[in-house]
Amino acid sequence: MAHDTDKNLQTQVLYSVYVRAHTPEGTFRAVIPDLDRIRSLGTDIIWFMPIHPIGIEGKKGSLGCPYANRDYRTTNPDYGTLEDFKALVDEIHARGMKVMIDVVYNHTSPDSTLYRTHPEFFYHDAQGRPGNRYGDWADVIDLDYNNPALWDYQIESLRFWAGIVDGFRCDVASLVPLAFWKRARAEVRQVNPGCIWLAESVHLSFALEARRLGFDAMRDSDGFEAFDMEYDYDIREVFDRLLRGECPLSHWVDMLNFQEGEYPANYNKLRCLENHDQPRIASFVTDMEALVNWTAMLYFLKGTTLIYAGQEWADTHTPSLFEKETVDRETGRSLMPLMKKLAAMKKRLFTGDDHFLGKADDAHHIAVFLRQNAARRCVGVFSLRAENAWVEVPLPDGEYLDHLSGASVRVKDGKLRCTGTPVILDKVR
């Protein structure tokens, strides 16, 4: 792990905001009235998807993709000015939350300021044309980190933003050299010693194919040298198969155990059920009782919890990256009371030093997880189809408090009766 990673990140909640989709106005200042509600969910950090101007050349849809960055050092005028953004940051800080922004350092739009002023910073194909090394991203062109002057420019940009915000979510971080990220972290530390670094590490199949084609793709185990948190995309494809009913629950649980066994002791995987690149979890899990179990499990997993705006209303539609689609707050469903309780529980029961172990009952689709630290042994039981069954739990026989319902739960002969609702039990050591 990065030697100065804050272990408290393990107990925190990250809330993702797409400014264009968050309000009808789609501006920085329009987010401010919603900050108290976001904070009430137990949010510690707000991550803003890219806030920079969007490229026009080759753009997708009518508005373009925020990940086709046209200028690293200013804001999207559709969202507001830099001063508007600073005002938003000030309001977030006043509520005790931190701010992270997206930095898209693998590529820019074809009409970016950087390409216009420094075409030598970009990858060119055999015909001398700018383009992509890997992937079908028609609205962007790749940067070339073989040019050391590019490193200086990018780190200077990071240092500028580190004077305003508290951290960075680094897009497609695996395709940018690890040595760059390590140097960037060291130099940004001079401006903001507590800066938080989140890597969008790539899906396992993507990384393997990139390496087969001769491109560098950072391994997650190496990425922890520079990053405090990484996506859990190394096992996401198994999770996706689970959602589609193509593999048993035990396969995904085994992969969680593999992470626990293979990564540094204080590794932190960002845990999410959905994000802006993945379908809404409610589009797969349509039963609300089952969705309550999935949500409770999310907070129990080891790692920082990610909530994508709209998830709290069990939205089923993921807003387009290329059009204006406002988050639907009128679904008639709300997970907010549950999320508030889970966030408080996460902070109260867990630490950055928990040991984690999972087990699955495939017959009833029930996951049982253990989190243990010097003070507590916590067990979570999550019935992902809201089924009733007796399940084995790693607790001595006796009476336990369920932190979700407040009720007493009996463990007998090493088992408890799962009634289809999630339970989180602990025994103080």
Side-chain angles (χ1 to χ4, degrees):
M1 290 294 295
H3 73 277
D4 54 351
T5 288
D6 182 0
K7 292 183 180 181
N8 289 325
L9 289 170
Q10 290 272 2
T11 67
Q12 295 188 352
V13 176
L14 180 63
Y15 186 91
S16 175
V17 170
Y18 182 17
V19 174
R20 178 192 289 168
H22 198 73
T23 64
E25 300 87 348
T27 64
F28 294 133
R29 290 190 180 271
V31 176
I32 293 174
D34 197 32
L35 292 179
D36 288 334
R37 185 196 63 83
I38 293 173
R39 181 69 187 97
S40 75
L41 295 176
T43 300
D44 301 283
I45 307 165
I46 298 179
W47 151 36
F48 289 100
M49 289 166 55
I51 62 169
H52 305 296
I54 295 171
I56 304 299
E57 184 179 338
K59 74 176 181 179
K60 295 181 178 180
S62 63
L63 297 176
C65 178
Y67 290 92
N69 188 324
R70 190 156 47 91
D71 195 317
Y72 287 114
R73 298 184 178 182
T74 187
T75 58
N76 184 339
D78 291 340
Y79 295 172
T81 65
L82 179 58
E83 293 308 311
D84 291 330
F85 179 68
K86 288 181 178 179
L88 172 57
V89 171
D90 287 344
E91 292 287 348
I92 294 169
H93 286 163
R95 290 163 173 80
M97 296 181 285
K98 294 183 177 181
V99 180
M100 296 176 66
I101 60 171
D102 238 306
V103 290
V104 186
Y105 269 22
N106 178 65
H107 48 258
T108 75
S109 68
D111 55 349
S112 66
T113 300
L114 197 57
Y115 184 71
R116 187 177 68 249
T117 57
H118 290 285
E120 73 278 10
F121 287 176
F122 288 78
Y123 162 81
H124 290 77
D125 63 20
Q127 288 72 44
R129 299 171 300 193
N132 308 120
R133 297 169 299 163
Y134 181 75
D136 181 24
W137 299 327
D139 57 342
V140 295
I141 54 176
D142 284 0
L143 290 158
D144 181 2
Y145 281 84
N146 290 312
N147 190 323
L150 172 62
W151 293 38
D152 297 336
Y153 182 93
Q154 298 291 62
I155 291 173
E156 184 181 345
S157 299
L158 288 168
R159 285 170 60 91
F160 166 75
W161 288 108
I164 301 171
V165 302
D166 308 291
F168 302 109
R169 181 265 189 191
C170 303
D171 186 67
V172 204
S174 302
L175 297 187
V176 176
L178 174 60
F180 168 82
W181 294 123
K182 292 171 71 172
R183 178 183 153 192
R185 183 185 182 103
E187 295 196 23
V188 166
R189 188 184 297 121
Q190 299 167 7
V191 177
N192 185 344
C195 187
I196 303 165
W197 294 83
L198 165 62
E200 187 204 18
S201 44
V202 297
H203 288 75
L204 181 61
S205 62
F206 185 105
L208 292 175
E209 179 66 7
R211 292 175 200 145
R212 186 187 70 81
L213 295 173
F215 303 114
D216 289 332
M218 181 177 67
R219 286 171 168 80
D220 286 16
S221 53
D222 295 332
F224 278 123
E225 296 177 29
F227 290 94
D228 303 301
M229 299 180 281
E230 293 181 348
Y231 272 43
D232 64 354
Y233 278 0
D234 54 329
I235 65 171
R236 180 73 194 197
E237 287 160 315
V238 176
F239 182 79
D240 291 342
R241 291 200 294 274
L242 171 64
L243 289 178
R244 295 192 299 266
E246 297 172 0
C247 76
L249 175 62
S250 58
H251 184 21
W252 179 64
V253 172
D254 286 345
M255 296 304 293
L256 290 169
N257 291 335
F258 178 80
Q259 288 179 330
E260 178 72 7
E262 289 300 312
Y263 288 127
N266 60 334
Y267 76 100
N268 189 350
K269 283 287 185 176
L270 184 71
R271 302 300 182 183
C272 70
L273 298 177
E274 63 183 56
N275 60 50
H276 68 271
D277 282 325
Q278 306 298 327
R280 295 283 197 185
I281 187 64
S283 68
F284 287 99
V285 183
T286 57
D287 178 80
M288 278 301 290
E289 290 186 17
L291 188 58
V292 165
N293 278 271
W294 283 87
T295 303
M297 181 183 69
L298 170 66
Y299 283 77
F300 195 89
L301 293 176
K302 184 176 179 178
T304 303
T305 300
L306 172 66
I307 299 300
Y308 181 42
Q311 186 175 339
E312 63 266 48
W313 294 290
D315 281 0
T316 57
H317 176 67
T318 304
S320 169
L321 288 178
F322 319 122
E323 307 293 346
K324 171 67 173 172
E325 294 182 346
T326 306
V327 168
D328 182 7
R329 304 179 184 222
E330 305 298 330
T331 64
R333 300 181 292 182
S334 176
L335 292 164
M336 286 193 286
L338 174 65
M339 288 178 167
K340 293 176 183 180
K341 182 180 289 187
L342 289 168
M345 176 215 69
K346 187 179 182 79
K347 295 171 173 58
R348 184 175 70 252
L349 298 183
F350 303 148
T351 72
D353 296 306
D354 293 328
H355 296 284
F356 178 87
L357 183 65
K359 187 176 180 181
D361 176 349
D362 286 328
H364 299 97
H365 219 61
I366 297 174
V368 179
F369 295 113
L370 167 70
R371 289 191 65 165
Q372 183 173 323
N373 56 49
R376 295 179 183 273
R377 172 186 287 188
C378 297
V379 171
V381 179
F382 309 101
S383 183
L384 302 182
R385 290 179 183 157
E387 294 185 7
N388 301 343
W390 285 96
V391 292
E392 294 183 356
V393 291
L395 288 171
D397 288 0
E399 296 284 335
Y400 295 89
L401 173 68
D402 173 18
H403 288 278
L404 293 180
S405 68
S408 177
V409 175
R410 173 177 289 276
V411 175
K412 183 179 180 181
D413 298 328
K415 296 182 178 181
L416 65 77
R417 180 69 181 178
C418 174
T419 62
T421 60
V423 296
I424 294 175
L425 315 175
D426 84 284
K427 183 176 181 62
V428 179
R429 300 184 75 183

